[in-house]
Amino acid sequence: MMAGECPFVKEDLTCPLCYEVFNDPVTLSCSHSFCKRCIHTRWQSRGLQQCPVCHCTAGSSRPSINQALRKVSDVFKQKPEHFMLRSVERCSIHDKELKFFCRKDAELICTVCTSTRSHANHNYCSIPEATSEILRELTARYNPLKQHLNRSEKLKENLEELKAYIKRQAAETAEEIKKEYEKLHEFLREDERARLIVLRNQTKNKTEMVSEQLEAVNIIIEELTDIKNYVEPITIADNLSFLKECKEALKRYRKQPDLCEITHLFFQTEMNKYIYSRTTYIMPDTEYPAGAIIDVFQYLGSLKHGVWKRMEKVVNHYRVNFDPNTAHPNLIISDELTTVKYGKQQKVPDNPKRCTSRLAVLAACGISSGKHCWHVEVLDNNEWYIGVARESIRRKSSEFLSPTNGFWVIGLSDEEYRAQTSPSTRLSLKRKPQIVTVELDYEKGKVSFTNTSDGTSIYTFKDVRTKESIFPYFSIGVNQGSTLRILAL
């Protein structure tokens, strides 16, 4: 093969990554070629199987060797003179081949340019030397940029995952809020229904009582009106007519013993004149019946306060709650953040607060003063640790649970109860605790553990000394369904 017969030039056989003639070249689905080792190294460092030139996703993680390109590359390495030479670039001023690079002016020059006034006494070098120098400088600057790009791409990926997690976390939290408020709404609706039922029943009873009395009064009015209508015409008649009708009128009065009583009635005959001297009637009570009207205060007086007092009996108050953002991915938090259970690993962001070295979770609020108490239900779990820990404990790497490392805890493991001192202290308990009471006195630097069922002391740390906030600490074993629960006080 004579020079100029081959259509390839060196640039066509150069790897875009190492800038050397191909060694075991592979061609991606996008038609760009690279040394096999170069492209694999690139993919491993980036963690992405993309073409470095066009950024298209590679169709295969193990592209095959381009045998034709390898043969041409091997021939070039042995006999480069058989390949075409790219046309020589010439100086636009002197029409000579460009052979040098002026470092001061950063431009290619020819041999004549080196002796001209425009480049006299300038520092220049050969093109290969300049290429090597600039390539080294670019590489020195590029590598930190590449590392920064890798970190930025990783951060972007983490932030996108975090954004998706926040949306999912917000949706789950909103659903739990709705459930808890629905419980409160149902309590209020039931309380309202009960109060209205009592009001309706009382209204019915009082209305019936008044209706009965109203019916009796209507009968009295009717009968008295009838007597009145009979007697009035008699009283305005002449004496003879009056006396004739008087006996009949008195008979009508006497027929109403339940309406009136004649206590003194007499007629006196004097000068043919009859005098109706005195008649007294005992009428029914005209006042309202006792207890007839609704006692509004019974229903509206301090209504909200009464409802609140009744709600206190059904709404629990917890002094300690778990913080889901500190929980190991295998821990599931539920029941208003008072129950932690071991389960299937969840996809959660690895924020700085999250415990990943142990199956642990911290309380939501830290303690920096005062006395505090909480109850932890451990039941029959075969492994658990509870107590307090400094805020600055290492959460990503395993270390011994000891006061030196910021932990003041007791626990059960391998059927032995131990206080996590240095070394640990074995505890002899007469009765297996189902509920453990933890009491912390921050000022005195003391945390004590008690068997809640019988009040017996389990262990007391007297060296809880720190300037940091202290957080209640909880850890459970890997058994499926292992559970710890904070009880209401």
Side-chain angles (χ1 to χ4, degrees):
M1 180 183 297
M2 298 299 294
E5 294 180 354
C6 181
F8 292 100
V9 295
K10 182 178 179 181
E11 287 79 359
D12 297 327
L13 304 176
T14 301
C15 173
L17 295 177
C18 66
Y19 303 105
E20 300 292 339
V21 177
F22 287 123
N23 184 22
D24 292 333
V26 295
T27 302
L28 305 183
S29 57
C30 59
S31 300
H32 292 117
S33 301
F34 307 89
C35 296
K36 179 179 180 180
R37 182 175 181 179
C38 292
I39 190 64
H40 279 261
T41 302
R42 172 82 171 207
W43 285 351
Q44 289 176 358
S45 65
R46 292 293 182 88
L48 295 173
Q49 293 182 6
Q50 290 183 340
C51 173
V53 176
C54 65
H55 304 293
C56 291
T57 302
S60 171
S61 61
R62 294 181 177 274
S64 58
I65 301 293
N66 187 329
Q67 297 295 339
L69 190 58
R70 182 167 69 173
K71 289 180 180 179
V72 175
S73 300
D74 291 344
V75 170
F76 180 86
K77 293 174 183 177
Q78 297 173 6
K79 299 180 178 180
E81 67 276 6
H82 289 178
F83 287 75
M84 292 177 59
L85 297 177
R86 193 172 296 280
S87 58
V88 175
E89 294 190 26
R90 308 182 75 82
C91 177
S92 61
I93 300 175
H94 306 105
D95 194 29
K96 299 291 184 180
E97 181 181 354
L98 297 173
K99 292 186 175 182
F100 301 101
F101 178 78
C102 177
R103 292 189 174 99
K104 181 178 180 180
D105 297 328
E107 62 181 32
L108 296 170
I109 58 177
C110 66
T111 53
V112 178
C113 292
T114 60
S115 58
T116 62
R117 181 182 299 177
S118 57
H119 293 284
N121 300 320
H122 285 189
N123 186 4
Y124 59 89
C125 62
S126 66
I127 290 177
E129 184 181 357
T131 302
S132 177
E133 289 178 359
I134 295 174
L135 186 60
R136 282 196 302 271
E137 183 179 352
L138 288 176
T139 302
R141 295 184 180 184
Y142 169 72
N143 286 338
L145 292 177
K146 183 172 67 173
Q147 295 173 1
H148 185 64
L149 175 62
N150 291 338
R151 290 194 298 269
S152 297
E153 290 175 344
K154 182 63 176 177
L155 177 60
K156 177 184 176 182
E157 181 181 349
N158 292 340
L159 290 176
E160 288 176 346
E161 291 180 357
L162 177 61
K163 181 179 178 181
Y165 173 77
I166 290 172
K167 290 182 177 180
R168 186 173 76 251
Q169 187 184 38
E172 293 173 353
T173 303
E175 189 62 29
E176 289 299 317
I177 290 174
K178 291 178 181 178
K179 289 181 181 178
E180 295 304 323
Y181 268 97
E182 180 56 31
K183 294 177 184 177
L184 297 177
H185 292 159
E186 182 56 33
F187 173 86
L188 292 174
R189 286 193 291 266
E190 184 61 34
D191 191 80
E192 178 187 6
R193 283 194 292 267
R195 184 168 294 229
L196 290 176
I197 288 174
V198 173
L199 177 60
R200 282 196 295 270
N201 290 338
Q202 189 179 56
T203 302
K204 179 181 178 182
N205 295 336
K206 290 180 180 294
T207 302
E208 288 177 351
M209 179 183 70
V210 174
S211 296
E212 291 175 0
Q213 189 161 350
L214 181 60
E215 184 179 354
V217 170
N218 285 334
I219 294 174
I220 293 172
I221 291 173
E222 181 181 351
E223 293 179 346
L224 290 177
T225 301
D226 183 53
I227 295 173
K228 172 178 172 289
N229 292 338
Y230 182 83
V231 172
E232 279 187 348
I234 299 174
T235 59
I236 63 175
D238 57 83
N239 292 340
L240 183 60
S241 299
F242 171 75
L243 291 177
K244 287 180 179 179
E245 299 294 336
C246 186
K247 284 185 178 182
E248 184 62 26
L250 291 176
K251 289 179 181 179
R252 294 175 72 92
Y253 273 89
R254 292 192 181 100
K255 290 180 180 178
Q256 308 300 328
D258 57 329
L259 301 179
C260 62
E261 178 185 358
I262 302 176
T263 59
H264 183 63
L265 177 64
F266 64 93
F267 288 91
Q268 182 178 1
T269 304
E270 180 179 336
M271 299 178 69
N272 297 322
K273 183 177 181 182
Y274 296 92
I275 300 175
Y276 182 57
S277 65
R278 184 182 175 203
T279 304
T280 303
Y281 299 92
I282 299 177
M283 298 299 294
D285 191 359
T286 58
E287 298 293 333
Y288 287 125
I293 59 178
I294 300 294
D295 182 6
V296 178
F297 177 79
Q298 175 185 350
Y299 299 98
L300 296 180
S302 301
L303 187 148
K304 291 187 285 294
H305 180 266
V307 173
W308 169 64
K309 295 298 289 184
R310 288 191 292 277
M311 289 185 71
E312 276 193 321
K313 298 178 181 179
V314 297
V315 176
N316 293 322
H317 171 62
Y318 303 93
R319 293 184 179 176
V320 171
N321 295 91
F322 298 122
D323 182 0
N325 292 331
T326 67
H328 186 280
N330 281 97
L331 297 184
I332 301 172
I333 311 296
S334 60
D335 299 333
E336 296 185 65
L337 308 182
T338 61
T339 299
V340 57
K341 179 183 297 185
Y342 176 82
K344 183 179 179 181
Q345 185 172 0
Q346 306 165 91
K347 190 173 182 179
V348 294
D350 186 16
N351 67 82
K353 291 184 177 182
R354 192 173 304 282
C355 299
T356 55
S357 61
R358 291 180 179 272
L359 291 170
V361 59
L362 301 180
C365 299
I367 298 170
S368 57
S369 64
K371 297 179 180 180
H372 303 266
C373 173
W374 58 95
H375 306 308
V376 185
E377 186 178 64
V378 297
L379 297 179
D380 295 320
N381 294 316
N382 57 13
E383 183 177 356
W384 52 263
Y385 294 95
I386 60 175
V388 297
R390 283 198 304 256
E391 184 176 13
S392 62
I393 59 170
R394 293 183 180 178
R395 309 185 188 199
K396 309 299 181 184
S397 59
S398 297
E399 57 184 0
F400 188 69
L401 298 178
S402 68
T404 304
N405 295 325
F407 299 89
W408 295 270
V409 301
I410 65 168
L412 169 65
S413 181
D414 297 329
E415 299 183 354
E416 286 187 352
Y417 293 95
R418 290 184 176 274
Q420 296 303 111
T421 53
S422 297
S424 62
T425 302
R426 185 174 180 179
L427 305 175
S428 299
L429 305 183
K430 295 181 179 180
R431 184 178 299 179
K432 182 178 182 179
Q434 297 289 296
I435 301 173
V436 176
T437 298
V438 185
E439 294 180 90
L440 170 66
D441 189 326
Y442 188 91
E443 278 71 26
K444 290 186 177 181
K446 183 172 69 173
V447 59
S448 59
F449 303 85
T450 305
N451 187 335
T452 309
S453 60
D454 57 14
T456 57
S457 176
I458 298 177
Y459 190 80
T460 298
F461 288 94
K462 299 179 180 180
D463 59 345
V464 187
R465 300 295 181 185
T466 179
K467 295 181 180 180
E468 303 176 30
S469 293
I470 293 177
F471 286 77
Y473 176 90
F474 311 86
S475 178
I476 58 177
V478 297
N479 291 339
Q480 193 71 24
S482 294
T483 303
L484 291 178
R485 183 176 289 108
I486 299 172
L487 302 182
L489 294 178

